[in-house]
Amino acid sequence: MEVLRRWREVRGEEVQCSLRFPSTDMSPSLVPVVLITYLLLPLLPLSTADATAATSAIHRRPPAPRGSLCSQLVQPAGYPCSEYTVQTKDGYLLALHRVSSSGQNLRAQRGRPVLLQHGLFMGGDAWFLNSADQSLGFILADHGFDVWIGNVRGTRWSYGHISLSERDKDFWDWSWQELALCDLAEMVHFINSTTGSKVFLVGHSQGTIMSLAALTQPDIAEMVEAAALLSPISYLGHITAPLVWRMVNMHVDQMIIAMGIHQLNFRSDFDVGIMDAICDGRIECNDLLTSITVPGLCQRLKLVITVCPAGKNCCFNNSRVDFYLEYEPHPSSSKNLRHLFQMIRKGSFSMYDYGVLKNLKVYGQFKPPMFDLTRIPKTMPLWMAYGGNDALSDITDVKQTLSELHCKTELVYLENYGHVDFILGLNAKEEIYDHMIGFFRSFGKSYSS
């Protein structure tokens, strides 16, 4: 706890805590961010036969939708939706959306609050991209839960910062560490204060990294009733994707930051030669597609940066690719990428590594502190769903996470599931969400205002 207090003090003293590199006028569209697409984002897979159609669809993709998540996705489906703005201690303005059942009387008591936390390069829209009977956000609302949708800093649904512009490099001085200890902490506190009830927490991918890190902090854990983790991640040391390892070994994360690039915006155009350099014969793209993704990835990535799958997905709806691309991906920070790559290189679940001297200043020690999973309360019920085809949430890493937890954990394992199936799979309701809802309902009834 002393290390965390020191980190918070330093964050309060200086907004820019990362290593400083000379700024450039280089457009983010020229940055080799395509190199990191597979690791960071679950995408919209297509078969080889669909590659040509996908090419045209991606080139035709519209600009990011304007307006709120409520007006774009929730209310048109017939569900009541309201929006709140939450300010973090370091000045970011986050959007929280609250969704109720389409048949619920708004004056009636609401069910238990549940917060849905999206993954990397995604936003709260990820929970509503399929039909109402397939999307977790709608399904939970229809089962009477008081559904809250989190949106972290940098996403298009959130509202920036009280003093910084998105053009300022200081705006992007954060990693998942801040998302866990600042953004998620503030959203949970707001929901707890508003409803007077402990919160059910649901995360996917990076949302599970945030959740596990946050739950090691007693002040956050005491506001959470239970947590459900889809594609749980706290360790990344055993991912098997050749392309990912090549990016890590090339230190692409450090190159991007050294170039003065602090924001990663995957909706911008980019130089098609970047992927040519990656699929240049050192890694056979056909083998790559077999091992970590689905046919057509390299062909699509030569045209536009999109959302990539982490492993072959069994249950994805190819026909909705155009619709998904209207909303995904959302921006993130280069520092966040670097933190994730540090996890892969070191096989650790720790705070951001600034280097020895900066670590001494920020943490008071040479190495960044670990997030100790044994600090998650023994009384904290956890539920996890993971898949055999998930190349990002690897089974070996999941087992390491489980070995360090002291709390009771219920598990759902699906051999054929890939990373994106857990949020966009056509059969996810029957195979995953119904189990999750049963887990939450085992805690009895309690109502919020």
mmCIF file of all heavy atoms in Angstrom, residues 15 88 90-93 159-165 171:
data_model
loop_
_atom_site.group_PDB
_atom_site.id
_atom_site.type_symbol
_atom_site.label_atom_id
_atom_site.label_comp_id
_atom_site.label_asym_id
_atom_site.label_seq_id
_atom_site.Cartn_x
_atom_site.Cartn_y
_atom_site.Cartn_z
ATOM 1 N N VAL A 15 1.846 15.458 -14.159
ATOM 2 C CA VAL A 15 0.953 14.730 -15.041
ATOM 3 C C VAL A 15 1.748 13.819 -15.967
ATOM 4 O O VAL A 15 1.376 12.681 -16.220
ATOM 5 C CB VAL A 15 0.104 15.717 -15.863
ATOM 6 C CG1 VAL A 15 -0.761 14.960 -16.851
ATOM 7 C CG2 VAL A 15 -0.761 16.551 -14.928
ATOM 8 N N THR A 88 -12.221 11.449 -12.997
ATOM 9 C CA THR A 88 -11.205 10.744 -12.227
ATOM 10 C C THR A 88 -10.370 11.747 -11.427
ATOM 11 O O THR A 88 -10.402 12.955 -11.677
ATOM 12 C CB THR A 88 -10.276 9.943 -13.143
ATOM 13 O OG1 THR A 88 -9.515 10.854 -13.956
ATOM 14 C CG2 THR A 88 -11.078 9.009 -14.039
ATOM 15 N N ASP A 90 -7.308 12.235 -11.620
ATOM 16 C CA ASP A 90 -6.318 12.920 -12.450
ATOM 17 C C ASP A 90 -6.957 13.680 -13.606
ATOM 18 O O ASP A 90 -6.291 14.039 -14.573
ATOM 19 C CB ASP A 90 -5.252 11.950 -12.965
ATOM 20 C CG ASP A 90 -5.817 10.720 -13.654
ATOM 21 O OD1 ASP A 90 -7.049 10.533 -13.612
ATOM 22 O OD2 ASP A 90 -5.036 9.949 -14.236
ATOM 23 N N GLY A 91 -8.268 13.940 -13.515
ATOM 24 C CA GLY A 91 -8.901 14.911 -14.394
ATOM 25 C C GLY A 91 -9.553 14.405 -15.655
ATOM 26 O O GLY A 91 -10.044 15.209 -16.461
ATOM 27 N N TYR A 92 -9.612 13.104 -15.887
ATOM 28 C CA TYR A 92 -10.270 12.581 -17.088
ATOM 29 C C TYR A 92 -11.780 12.493 -16.870
ATOM 30 O O TYR A 92 -12.257 12.204 -15.759
ATOM 31 C CB TYR A 92 -9.704 11.205 -17.463
ATOM 32 C CG TYR A 92 -8.308 11.279 -17.992
ATOM 33 C CD1 TYR A 92 -7.217 11.242 -17.117
ATOM 34 C CD2 TYR A 92 -8.053 11.415 -19.351
ATOM 35 C CE1 TYR A 92 -5.915 11.335 -17.596
ATOM 36 C CE2 TYR A 92 -6.758 11.498 -19.839
ATOM 37 C CZ TYR A 92 -5.700 11.461 -18.958
ATOM 38 O OH TYR A 92 -4.412 11.561 -19.430
ATOM 39 N N LEU A 93 -12.521 12.741 -17.941
ATOM 40 C CA LEU A 93 -13.986 12.738 -17.889
ATOM 41 C C LEU A 93 -14.503 11.509 -18.623
ATOM 42 O O LEU A 93 -14.414 11.419 -19.842
ATOM 43 C CB LEU A 93 -14.538 14.017 -18.520
ATOM 44 C CG LEU A 93 -14.041 15.324 -17.877
ATOM 45 C CD1 LEU A 93 -14.517 16.532 -18.670
ATOM 46 C CD2 LEU A 93 -14.507 15.423 -16.419
ATOM 47 N N TYR A 159 -15.216 11.924 -22.512
ATOM 48 C CA TYR A 159 -15.255 13.358 -22.793
ATOM 49 C C TYR A 159 -13.949 14.091 -22.520
ATOM 50 O O TYR A 159 -13.947 15.267 -22.193
ATOM 51 C CB TYR A 159 -16.388 13.998 -21.993
ATOM 52 C CG TYR A 159 -17.733 13.495 -22.428
ATOM 53 C CD1 TYR A 159 -18.414 12.549 -21.674
ATOM 54 C CD2 TYR A 159 -18.303 13.925 -23.624
ATOM 55 C CE1 TYR A 159 -19.646 12.060 -22.087
ATOM 56 C CE2 TYR A 159 -19.527 13.440 -24.051
ATOM 57 C CZ TYR A 159 -20.198 12.506 -23.274
ATOM 58 O OH TYR A 159 -21.395 12.015 -23.690
ATOM 59 N N GLY A 160 -12.830 13.389 -22.680
ATOM 60 C CA GLY A 160 -11.562 14.095 -22.613
ATOM 61 C C GLY A 160 -11.083 14.343 -21.199
ATOM 62 O O GLY A 160 -11.142 13.489 -20.317
ATOM 63 N N HIS A 161 -10.618 15.573 -20.962
ATOM 64 C CA HIS A 161 -9.941 15.926 -19.718
ATOM 65 C C HIS A 161 -10.315 17.345 -19.345
ATOM 66 O O HIS A 161 -10.660 18.158 -20.210
ATOM 67 C CB HIS A 161 -8.421 15.798 -19.925
ATOM 68 C CG HIS A 161 -7.613 15.878 -18.688
ATOM 69 N ND1 HIS A 161 -7.208 17.081 -18.138
ATOM 70 C CD2 HIS A 161 -7.114 14.898 -17.870
ATOM 71 C CE1 HIS A 161 -6.487 16.838 -17.041
ATOM 72 N NE2 HIS A 161 -6.421 15.524 -16.868
ATOM 73 N N ILE A 162 -10.233 17.651 -18.054
ATOM 74 C CA ILE A 162 -10.653 18.976 -17.604
ATOM 75 C C ILE A 162 -9.723 20.078 -18.100
ATOM 76 O O ILE A 162 -10.127 21.243 -18.206
ATOM 77 C CB ILE A 162 -10.752 19.042 -16.067
ATOM 78 C CG1 ILE A 162 -9.409 18.653 -15.426
ATOM 79 C CG2 ILE A 162 -11.867 18.140 -15.565
ATOM 80 C CD1 ILE A 162 -9.389 18.825 -13.909
ATOM 81 N N SER A 163 -8.467 19.748 -18.429
ATOM 82 C CA SER A 163 -7.540 20.791 -18.865
ATOM 83 C C SER A 163 -6.697 20.388 -20.076
ATOM 84 O O SER A 163 -6.160 21.265 -20.750
ATOM 85 C CB SER A 163 -6.596 21.182 -17.715
ATOM 86 O OG SER A 163 -5.827 20.069 -17.286
ATOM 87 N N LEU A 164 -6.577 19.108 -20.362
ATOM 88 C CA LEU A 164 -5.739 18.650 -21.457
ATOM 89 C C LEU A 164 -6.555 18.383 -22.714
ATOM 90 O O LEU A 164 -7.687 17.917 -22.633
ATOM 91 C CB LEU A 164 -4.987 17.365 -21.067
ATOM 92 C CG LEU A 164 -4.004 17.462 -19.902
ATOM 93 C CD1 LEU A 164 -3.494 16.077 -19.532
ATOM 94 C CD2 LEU A 164 -2.845 18.393 -20.252
ATOM 95 N N SER A 165 -5.957 18.658 -23.850
ATOM 96 C CA SER A 165 -6.550 18.315 -25.135
ATOM 97 C C SER A 165 -6.022 16.969 -25.591
ATOM 98 O O SER A 165 -4.921 16.555 -25.211
ATOM 99 C CB SER A 165 -6.203 19.387 -26.179
ATOM 100 O OG SER A 165 -6.437 18.913 -27.492
ATOM 101 N N PHE A 171 -1.974 14.020 -22.387
ATOM 102 C CA PHE A 171 -3.297 13.384 -22.333
ATOM 103 C C PHE A 171 -3.170 11.870 -22.429
ATOM 104 O O PHE A 171 -3.990 11.131 -21.871
ATOM 105 C CB PHE A 171 -4.170 13.907 -23.478
ATOM 106 C CG PHE A 171 -5.562 13.325 -23.507
ATOM 107 C CD1 PHE A 171 -6.615 13.974 -22.878
ATOM 108 C CD2 PHE A 171 -5.832 12.129 -24.170
ATOM 109 C CE1 PHE A 171 -7.895 13.439 -22.901
ATOM 110 C CE2 PHE A 171 -7.100 11.586 -24.198
ATOM 111 C CZ PHE A 171 -8.141 12.248 -23.557
#
